[in-house]
Amino acid sequence: MNLETLENEHFSELNETDKEIIQFINRNRAMVRESSLAAVATKSLFSKSSIFRVCQKLGLTGFSQLKYLLQEEANQVQDVNIDFVSQTVKSVL
């Protein structure tokens, strides 16, 4: 499961502020993945509780599960890139 899938599944439940928070998260995935809820709230100018509620509206248990989801997405992208490089090297040899 990825963040875009959750967004699409719960889109009708989200208000404009929720959508802005998700947009911020999408634009700053690496920062969100590495930061605390308080740090993300400070940088995004949204409250901690608003960010936490968005996580719950997406079907997550909280902010820590969002960070885990973003980390898993990053790992999958990294695995695909490594696989691509190894396949390219094999095809050249």
Side-chain angles (χ1 to χ4, degrees):
M1 175 114 15
N2 62 25
L3 185 57
E4 285 78 23
T5 302
L6 292 175
E7 289 175 52
N8 291 331
E9 287 177 5
H10 300 280
F11 189 80
S12 62
E13 303 164 26
L14 302 173
N15 61 38
E16 289 304 312
T17 302
D18 298 336
K19 292 173 187 173
E20 289 177 22
I21 292 170
I22 292 171
Q23 190 174 35
F24 176 85
I25 291 168
N26 281 324
R27 283 192 309 251
N28 300 285
R29 287 174 180 256
M31 185 276 293
V32 172
R33 196 172 52 238
E34 302 297 324
S35 300
S36 67
L37 177 56
V40 172
T42 300
K43 291 180 183 179
S44 68
L45 303 177
F46 294 105
S47 70
K48 293 184 289 187
S49 58
S50 294
I51 296 168
F52 186 80
R53 276 193 301 272
V54 167
C55 294
Q56 290 182 322
K57 284 184 180 181
L58 293 174
L60 303 171
T61 57
F63 184 73
S64 60
Q65 192 174 15
L66 173 67
K67 287 177 59 168
Y68 178 79
L69 180 73
L70 294 175
Q71 185 62 49
E72 288 300 308
E73 286 180 12
N75 290 343
Q76 288 175 357
V77 169
Q78 188 177 20
D79 290 344
V80 168
N81 289 339
I82 290 170
D83 223 14
F84 177 73
V85 171
S86 66
Q87 292 299 324
T88 304
V89 169
K90 286 180 184 177
S91 68
V92 171
L93 298 175

